[in-house]
């Protein structure tokens, strides 16, 4: 395998991670061929670059590299395998009911590719997997391919709503190898990521696999920690936003992006990885009580929003409550384990009439709630005659609301600021009843 101006890369699984990885590798000058078992998705992407989800900037990047023919989408797996030097596996690894990681789809993908191999390939596992998965992958490949097998662990650290930047301008690249991995393989992997200009951590497979869990669980812990402080602030009359800034000024803590109180974390990665990490800890004979508390605090924040609302409104039944933001974070349409879902369910259970505003995820939220709630792109329209508004997702448009106008539109001026983006003094001065998270 000799160095080329760009590498022939195969991507197996064109979900969020796979599509972002493919577009970015193509942008870096490689020839990228993608395969997914979802033929409709592949056809939509190949015909016009129609994305299956919303991610800022990705649509343009996909179309640009389709046009340049550096990026292609195929339903023929053999074509992708035959024409790829390096094959990245980006298939889903969801949680089972027990919290353990379901590796079924990864195993099936590895098996399907291995059956088609008639020459050496570099197998790269980008999916989030428990430590020890690389060894399992190696065993599966060896059942079908009798040549040398090299499996690289290359966990993804993509940030939804900022995925392109978090790939092309990554904080770090992690590469895990077997002890007997040839120097040539390591050189190729470094070359692929050279345009990223990020620190490269080369280690063994298990360390690389565990590093993804460690990073996400730490960030989730930060969020639950500051939310626990926020709840204490509510009890004693302190302001968590000021406390957060004081903490960040400590050079030992630094400007932690996740040290901001609110409704808590959601999305696919943090909840799934927390459950998976807890299972790993238990399986190895350690006590996961601390991490279970992190989970408990996070879920509790969603209930706290309802508690705050009930403190300000005498009768929730039949009250019109507007939810600002349905996605789990701004600039994405991802509603997987989004706090909005829990909050809406609890409001409906209390008999409230729920209106939901979001610029991109209304179709996804409608798949869950159907005609039980109403859906609005126009914020001020949704606020007409409302009894309360809850900020759930801090989209820029909701940060810039004209509250003088809002006051005139609402039946009752009640605001629950689930992300602490509004100025309490200003809203109270305008005549609103206001509650933030720990403010």
């Amino acid at each position: 395998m000799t160095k080329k101006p760009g590498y022939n890369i195969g991507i197996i699984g064109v979900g969020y991670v796979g599509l972002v990885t493919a577009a970015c590798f193509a942008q870096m000058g490689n020839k990228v061929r993608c395969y997914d078992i979802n033929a409709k998705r592949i056809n939509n992407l190949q015909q016009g670059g129609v994305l299956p989800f919303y991610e800022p900037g990705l649509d343009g990047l996909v179309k640009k590299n389709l046009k340049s023919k550096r990026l292609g989408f195929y339903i023929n797996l053999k074509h992708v395998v035959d024409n790829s030097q390096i094959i990245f596996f980006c298939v889903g690894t969801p949680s089972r009911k027990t919290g353990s990681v379901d590796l079924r789809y990864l195993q099936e993908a590895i098996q399907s590719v291995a059956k088609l191999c008639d020459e050496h390939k570099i197998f790269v596992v980008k999916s989030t997997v428990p430590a020890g998965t690389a060894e399992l992958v190696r065993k599966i490949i060896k059942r079908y391919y009798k040549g040398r097998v090299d499996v690289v662990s290359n966990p993804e650290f993509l940030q939804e709503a900022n995925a392109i930047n978090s790939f092309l301008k990554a904080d770090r690249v992690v590469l895990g190898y077997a002890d007997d991995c040839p120097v040539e393989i390591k050189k190729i992997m470094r070359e692929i990521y050279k345009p990223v200009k990020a620190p490269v951590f080369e280690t063994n497979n298990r360390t690389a696999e565990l590093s993804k869990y460690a990073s996400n669980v730490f960030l989730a812990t930060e969020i639950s920690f500051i939310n626990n402080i926020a709840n204490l602030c509510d009890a004693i009359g302190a302001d968590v936003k000021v406390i957060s800034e004081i903490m960040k000024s400590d050079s030992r803590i630094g400007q932690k992006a996740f040290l901001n109180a609110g409704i808590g974390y959601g999305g696919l990665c943090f909840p799934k990885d927390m459950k998976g990490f807890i299972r790993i800890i238990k399986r190895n004979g350690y006590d996961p009580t601390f991490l279970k508390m992190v989970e408990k605090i996070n879920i509790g924040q969603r209930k706290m929003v309802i508690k705050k609302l009930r403190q300000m409104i005498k009768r929730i039944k039949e009250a019109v409550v507007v939810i600002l933001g349905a996605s789990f974070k701004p600039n994405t349409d991802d509603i997987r384990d989004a706090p909005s879902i829990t909050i809406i369910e609890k409001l409906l259970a209390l008999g409230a009439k729920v209106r939901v505003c979001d610029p991109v995820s209304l179709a996804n939220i409608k798949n869950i709630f159907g005609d039980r709630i109403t859906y609005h792109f126009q914020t001020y329209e949704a606020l007409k005659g409302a009894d309360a508004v809850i900020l759930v997702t801090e989209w820029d448009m909701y940060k810039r609301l004209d509250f003088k106008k809002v006051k005139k539109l609402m039946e009752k001026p009640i605001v629950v600021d689930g992300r602490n983006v509004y100025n309490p003094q200003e809203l109270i001065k305008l005549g609103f009843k206001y509650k933030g998270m720990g403010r």
Side-chain angles (χ1 to χ4, degrees):
M1 239 179 259
T2 57
K3 180 182 178 300
K4 298 181 180 181
Y7 288 96
N8 287 312
I9 293 174
I11 301 288
I12 308 300
V14 193
Y16 187 86
V17 173
L19 189 53
V20 171
T21 299
C24 289
F25 273 144
Q27 182 67 15
M28 288 155 58
N30 302 288
K31 176 71 174 179
V32 183
R33 296 173 175 87
C34 305
Y35 170 82
D36 195 284
I37 58 172
N38 187 329
K40 182 179 179 182
R41 175 175 294 186
I42 289 293
N43 185 61
N44 286 340
L45 286 164
Q46 185 61 44
Q47 295 302 317
V50 180
L51 271 59
F53 54 84
Y54 175 78
E55 173 63 35
L58 184 58
D59 181 63
L61 204 63
V62 167
K63 288 177 178 176
K64 175 184 175 182
N65 285 285
L66 268 172
K67 187 176 180 180
S68 70
K69 301 192 183 305
R70 286 195 297 265
L71 179 62
F73 300 93
Y74 303 88
I75 56 172
N76 186 335
L77 179 59
K78 190 174 190 319
H79 173 81
V80 173
V81 173
D82 288 347
N83 290 282
S84 301
Q85 299 165 275
I86 309 106
I87 301 176
F88 285 79
F89 291 84
C90 306
V91 300
T93 52
S95 293
R96 292 192 177 97
K97 289 182 180 179
T98 59
S100 62
V101 181
D102 188 349
L103 295 176
R104 177 182 19 168
Y105 306 112
L106 176 62
Q107 290 172 299
E108 290 172 357
I110 294 290
Q111 180 176 288
S112 297
V113 171
K115 286 179 177 179
L116 297 172
C117 285
D118 54 14
E119 63 179 358
H120 179 265
K121 310 284 181 184
I122 302 175
F123 285 70
V124 185
V125 179
K126 206 153 192 54
S127 305
T128 301
V129 294
T133 300
E135 287 95 321
L136 173 63
V137 168
R138 198 172 288 111
K139 287 177 183 177
I140 294 172
I141 299 168
K142 284 184 175 180
R143 290 179 202 157
Y144 306 98
Y145 178 70
K146 302 308 176 185
R148 177 175 179 83
V149 175
D150 290 294
V151 179
V152 180
S153 302
N154 175 217
E156 56 88 12
F157 295 96
L158 297 178
Q159 301 167 25
E160 281 198 58
N162 189 36
I164 294 170
N165 270 336
S166 62
F167 190 105
L168 296 177
K169 299 177 182 178
D171 296 325
R172 76 290 206 194
V173 173
V174 177
L175 301 170
Y177 310 106
D179 292 339
D180 62 348
C181 182
V183 173
E184 182 185 5
I185 302 298
K186 295 180 180 180
K187 183 180 178 182
I188 289 170
M189 293 306 300
R190 286 195 296 269
E191 285 285 342
I192 290 172
Y193 279 105
K194 193 173 181 179
V196 174
K197 296 180 170 59
V200 177
F201 293 87
E202 294 183 288
T203 182
N204 59 45
N205 289 112
R206 289 183 174 234
T207 303
E209 289 164 338
L210 193 58
S211 69
K212 170 61 185 291
Y213 283 100
S215 295
N216 277 2
V217 168
F218 180 79
L219 294 174
T221 302
E222 269 189 41
I223 294 169
S224 285
F225 170 81
I226 198 64
N227 281 333
N228 207 24
I229 298 297
N231 294 337
L232 180 60
C233 287
D234 280 332
I236 67 174
D239 190 335
V240 74
K241 201 156 188 178
V242 177
I243 290 172
S244 177
E245 293 305 311
I246 292 169
M247 290 176 67
K248 290 175 184 178
S249 69
D250 188 324
S251 59
R252 296 167 299 177
I253 296 174
Q255 294 298 310
K256 299 291 187 183
F258 287 81
L259 203 62
N260 296 309
I263 293 173
Y265 59 80
L268 175 67
C269 291
F270 283 11
K272 178 176 78 76
D273 292 352
M274 180 64 77
K275 286 181 175 65
F277 199 54
I278 287 171
R279 288 285 297 184
I280 291 167
I281 289 173
K282 287 176 71 175
R283 196 168 62 237
N284 285 278
Y286 294 96
D287 185 356
T289 299
F290 170 70
L291 295 180
K292 284 185 175 180
M293 185 56 67
V294 171
E295 274 193 312
K296 185 177 179 181
I297 292 168
N298 189 61
I299 295 301
Q301 289 304 108
R302 303 176 187 190
K303 298 176 183 176
M304 187 63 69
V305 169
I306 304 300
K307 181 180 178 181
K308 289 176 181 291
L309 180 63
R310 297 187 79 168
Q311 289 170 350
M312 292 190 290
I313 192 167
K314 291 181 180 179
R315 180 181 168 86
I316 291 185
K317 189 175 182 179
E318 299 298 320
V320 176
V321 182
V322 177
I323 301 293
L324 296 184
S327 55
F328 86 95
K329 66 186 291 189
N331 298 315
T332 178
D333 63 351
D334 194 345
I335 62 166
R336 290 174 294 185
D337 203 28
S340 63
I341 296 173
T342 308
I343 293 166
I344 293 167
E345 285 173 344
K346 291 189 177 300
L347 287 171
L348 290 174
L350 291 168
K353 295 179 179 178
V354 180
R355 301 173 183 172
V356 177
C357 284
D358 193 283
V360 298
S361 67
L362 290 183
N364 292 337
I365 207 77
K366 192 171 185 178
N367 286 335
I368 296 175
F369 293 102
D371 60 4
R372 297 165 65 201
I373 62 177
T374 60
Y375 307 89
H376 303 263
F377 286 109
Q378 301 299 325
T379 312
Y380 295 117
E381 183 67 29
L383 289 167
K384 285 181 181 177
D387 296 301
V389 59
I390 303 174
L391 177 69
V392 175
T393 312
E394 65 276 34
W395 287 88
D396 283 344
M397 64 186 69
Y398 304 143
K399 292 179 182 179
R400 298 193 296 263
L401 287 178
D402 179 349
F403 275 98
K404 289 182 180 178
K405 183 175 180 179
V406 170
K407 176 77 165 23
K408 293 177 182 177
L409 290 170
M410 293 183 71
E411 182 70 25
K412 296 174 184 174
I414 293 173
V415 175
V416 179
D417 183 0
R419 297 297 180 182
N420 286 347
V421 301
Y422 303 131
N423 186 312
Q425 286 74 33
E426 286 184 5
L427 265 65
I428 292 168
K429 189 177 179 180
L430 287 170
F432 283 91
K433 290 182 179 179
Y434 171 93
K435 282 191 181 292
M437 308 301 286
R439 303 211 64 194

